[in-house]
Amino acid sequence: MPFSIYDTRQRRKVPFETIEPGKVKMYTCGPTVYKDATIGNFRTYIFEDLLRRTLKYLGYQVMQVMNITDVDDKTINEAKLTGKPLNEITKPVIEQFFRDIDLLNIERVEYYPLATQHVHEMIELIEKLLRSGNAYRMDDSIYFSITSFPEYGKLSGMKLNKLKCGVRIDADEYEKDDSRDFALWKGWTEDDGDVGWDSPFGRGRPGWHIECSALSRKYLGEEFDLHTGGVDNIFPHHENEIAQSVAATGKSYAQHWMHSAHLMVDGEKMSKSLGNVFTLTDLLNKGNSVRALRYVLMATYYRHQLNFTNEAVSVANSSLKRLDTLYQAAKLASGSGAVRYLIQEKLEITRDDFKSSLTDDLNISEALAALFKLVTNVHQAIGETALNRNEGIAIMDFWMDVDRVLGFLVSKETAFPDDIALLIRERISLRCNRMFEKADRFRDELAKKGFHLEDTSDGTVVIWQGGRKIIK
Ligand code: AMP
Ligand code: ZN
């Protein structure tokens, strides 16, 4: 079944084509690890998870890279504000990021390279740009000259006469109105503290944009199939990535570009000043289930803004309940008999509808509508004659098959394991006896098993795939 996607650069739906048949090399901009990821970030990561799982469902072999920005303006600023070394800022945020993606059932990608481990590759690319005449030195920094790259602005649709040529910007992030020559390498200043690398251009640190050009080149090659991110990445980040990579290599860089629209909270932009920035932990602490949150984050077409409200979570819960009725009925089915033609036919039609909706630029609303229709149809059939065991198995197989894409239908074991509860109680008594080091080791061991503990005045809060629980 051909897959069509909305390509940001071409501004239309196009057939998805890969360089090597059946294989997809995909690059995804990852988190800047100065503060815990918000559910806004997770909206984009869930879109990318849906995309990855759909590609696999359609039979592609996927190789995906998600970078982790552990050095940039924001991380350095946070280190300065808190007086901590950079890695003390980034390490716990990275750990929390992986905990959150596992809880949200976001599939791990093949590579998560850290920026700080790849400065050498970035320096190499900057040297190439200096040699090709696309970059120049000013004081202790190196800048990309946007006028040296006539295609600059094509991705974001920006007019070249709006560009302030030869005027420089040092910040990693800036608005379209401020498009200028951007920093590839930032010469060391006192604000950088002990963050810096020696390079042929002197001591300094890379700009943010060069990171993704260097990492995609290293892990995927100079030309690859698909690049994704949130819409805020289009300008300047992705525009700058294209300029750097194409200018340095002469190759066409990513063949396709896809971007997801933003998550809003109660109709407003998520921002710290409005106090409506939520992390996954915040939402779980409010009693929401990860399953419902995954549903909410996935169920709106990725190019539409997603309005996150309590009501949206309640709707997700009722939708899941309705979908669960079919799996429950299938589980309870008993008695002999072949799968009736009517049921077999409905399953086949639903599979086709589900698949064809996803191949239409990940039309998740239609894909889910096909499942709801199946639930109604099977319930009607059951109303007349109960499901037999073979029919139950066919439905469960079908459910597990489509759940390879959705990842929220068949919930992982939700009962809380007794042995884990025992371990947590044992840890509580260790803490009562002030044996904190041993208690911390217990906590780390449990985290590896997917049970994340937080000590509160009410008791130990445990967050795991199945929900949240307090143990006293
Ligand atoms: P950052 O950690 O800010 O570099 O962002 C990581 C990813 O999250 C990028 O792909 C952003 O485009 C995306 N992102 C940031 N804020 C939002 C939001 N409110 N809604 C959806 N995606 C977002
Ligand atoms: Zn990036």
Side-chain angles (χ1 to χ4, degrees):
M1 220 179 254
F3 184 25
S4 85
I5 55 159
Y6 183 89
D7 186 307
T8 311
R9 183 158 49 184
Q10 300 187 52
R11 291 175 182 69
R12 62 189 172 91
K13 268 193 207 171
V14 296
F16 178 68
E17 281 163 4
T18 58
I19 298 168
E20 222 185 303
K23 292 191 177 169
V24 181
K25 289 187 175 176
M26 171 172 169
Y27 189 89
T28 296
C29 289
T32 306
V33 286
Y34 73 114
K35 275 201 165 83
D36 288 343
T38 67
I39 49 153
N41 301 129
F42 284 117
R43 202 269 157 125
T44 294
Y45 303 142
I46 292 250
F47 141 65
E48 286 150 348
D49 189 48
L50 174 65
L51 175 59
R52 173 188 169 83
R53 287 166 175 261
T54 300
L55 287 166
K56 287 170 76 174
Y57 189 71
L58 297 175
Y60 288 98
Q61 207 179 310
V62 179
M63 191 205 275
Q64 189 180 357
V65 178
M66 180 185 267
N67 64 305
I68 295 191
T69 303
D70 59 347
V71 58
D72 78 323
D73 294 351
K74 289 185 198 158
T75 43
I76 291 179
N77 191 39
E78 191 69 16
K80 198 176 154 207
L81 285 176
T82 54
K84 290 184 183 169
L86 188 64
N87 70 340
E88 274 185 32
I89 298 294
T90 56
K91 194 167 170 270
V93 181
I94 295 171
E95 284 168 2
Q96 183 69 41
F97 171 72
F98 284 111
R99 227 172 286 161
D100 287 354
I101 58 171
D102 288 348
L103 281 170
L104 280 168
N105 204 14
I106 294 176
E107 244 180 50
R108 296 258 185 140
V109 308
E110 283 65 29
Y111 299 101
Y112 290 99
L114 298 176
T116 50
Q117 305 295 311
H118 295 80
V119 175
H120 172 74
E121 287 83 345
M122 300 183 215
I123 292 174
E124 200 181 289
L125 209 54
I126 298 171
E127 284 184 304
K128 260 175 166 293
L129 289 167
L130 281 167
R131 280 199 298 275
S132 62
N134 296 96
Y136 61 92
R137 187 183 186 108
M138 175 61 65
D139 302 326
D140 293 329
S141 299
I142 311 285
Y143 295 89
F144 185 91
S145 156
I146 51 177
T147 45
S148 74
F149 187 70
E151 284 171 44
Y152 193 85
K154 264 206 175 155
L155 178 74
S156 56
M158 157 170 258
K159 298 273 175 302
L160 212 70
N161 58 12
K162 268 196 138 189
L163 306 177
K164 296 178 186 153
C165 306
V167 186
R168 284 162 293 281
I169 187 144
D170 288 304
D172 282 333
E173 288 184 85
Y174 51 92
E175 300 297 320
K176 270 194 185 183
D177 292 344
D178 225 4
S179 46
R180 305 166 185 217
D181 290 355
F182 57 90
L184 297 167
W185 184 262
K186 305 184 187 194
W188 185 88
T189 67
E190 266 178 27
D191 280 347
D192 294 337
D194 58 4
V195 180
W197 286 262
D198 291 324
S199 80
F201 342 109
R203 192 163 175 74
R205 62 178 170 103
W208 171 41
H209 313 295
I210 197 71
E211 172 185 334
C212 292
S213 285
L215 293 175
S216 57
R217 180 168 179 247
K218 169 157 182 178
Y219 289 91
L220 301 175
E222 292 175 347
E223 278 175 328
F224 55 95
D225 303 297
L226 178 58
H227 197 315
T228 63
V231 279
D232 57 309
N233 286 152
I234 299 174
F235 188 89
H237 186 49
H238 290 166
E239 198 72 76
N240 292 352
E241 269 187 50
I242 294 174
Q244 298 159 155
S245 296
V246 177
T249 67
K251 300 280 173 58
S252 57
Y253 201 50
Q255 308 302 299
H256 292 293
W257 291 84
M258 289 172 84
H259 293 95
S260 59
H262 271 173
L263 174 139
M264 315 288 279
V265 178
D266 287 323
E268 286 182 309
K269 190 171 172 253
M270 200 172 55
S271 79
K272 285 188 200 91
S273 55
L274 293 170
N276 61 1
V277 175
F278 298 116
T279 62
L280 180 64
T281 309
D282 294 336
L283 292 170
L284 294 178
N285 283 338
K286 285 185 178 176
N288 297 295
S289 75
V290 270
R291 199 175 167 225
L293 295 174
R294 180 172 169 91
Y295 187 101
V296 174
L297 293 171
M298 192 183 273
T300 299
Y301 175 50
Y302 75 95
R303 295 187 60 234
H304 291 163
Q305 275 187 353
L306 163 62
N307 192 21
F308 189 87
T309 56
N310 286 334
E311 204 196 333
V313 183
S314 324
V315 171
N317 277 317
S318 339
S319 304
L320 285 166
K321 246 191 204 152
R322 173 83 182 138
L323 292 168
D324 285 348
T325 57
L326 181 62
Y327 195 67
Q328 291 309 331
K331 260 184 157 168
L332 295 173
S334 62
S336 56
V339 179
R340 271 166 287 172
Y341 176 74
L342 178 80
I343 300 230
Q344 190 63 45
E345 189 197 25
K346 296 277 180 256
L347 289 178
E348 274 159 28
I349 292 174
T350 310
R351 198 189 307 272
D352 280 352
D353 288 350
F354 180 77
K355 206 168 179 179
S356 67
S357 307
L358 290 171
T359 58
D360 178 18
D361 195 30
L362 304 178
N363 189 336
I364 188 72
S365 323
E366 275 190 15
L368 290 172
L371 298 190
F372 284 110
K373 200 164 149 198
L374 176 75
V375 175
T376 305
N377 284 333
V378 175
H379 282 309
Q380 268 168 8
I382 299 174
E384 288 146 26
T385 334
L387 290 173
N388 65 44
R389 187 73 199 127
N390 284 329
E391 288 168 341
I393 291 171
I395 291 170
M396 285 196 285
D397 282 350
F398 173 81
W399 224 229
M400 283 190 250
D401 182 52
V402 291
D403 205 37
R404 287 196 285 139
V405 175
L406 301 176
F408 54 62
L409 286 180
V410 185
S411 47
K412 300 245 168 74
E413 204 47 70
T414 46
F416 193 72
D418 289 343
D419 55 331
I420 299 287
L422 273 177
L423 284 174
I424 293 174
R425 292 217 172 81
E426 208 177 314
R427 181 177 171 274
I428 292 173
S429 62
L430 286 173
R431 282 174 57 82
C432 289
N433 293 317
R434 309 192 61 78
M435 295 167 75
F436 295 117
E437 260 181 38
K438 194 162 178 202
D440 284 353
R441 279 204 300 278
F442 259 58
R443 187 194 53 209
D444 295 345
E445 284 305 312
L446 286 164
K448 281 186 202 147
K449 294 183 177 159
F451 296 88
H452 306 287
L453 311 188
E454 205 180 301
D455 300 305
T456 70
S457 50
D458 293 336
T460 303
V461 175
V462 196
I463 292 174
W464 85 108
Q465 188 79 45
R468 179 182 181 276
K469 190 180 174 75
I470 297 188
I471 295 194
K472 297 189 187 202

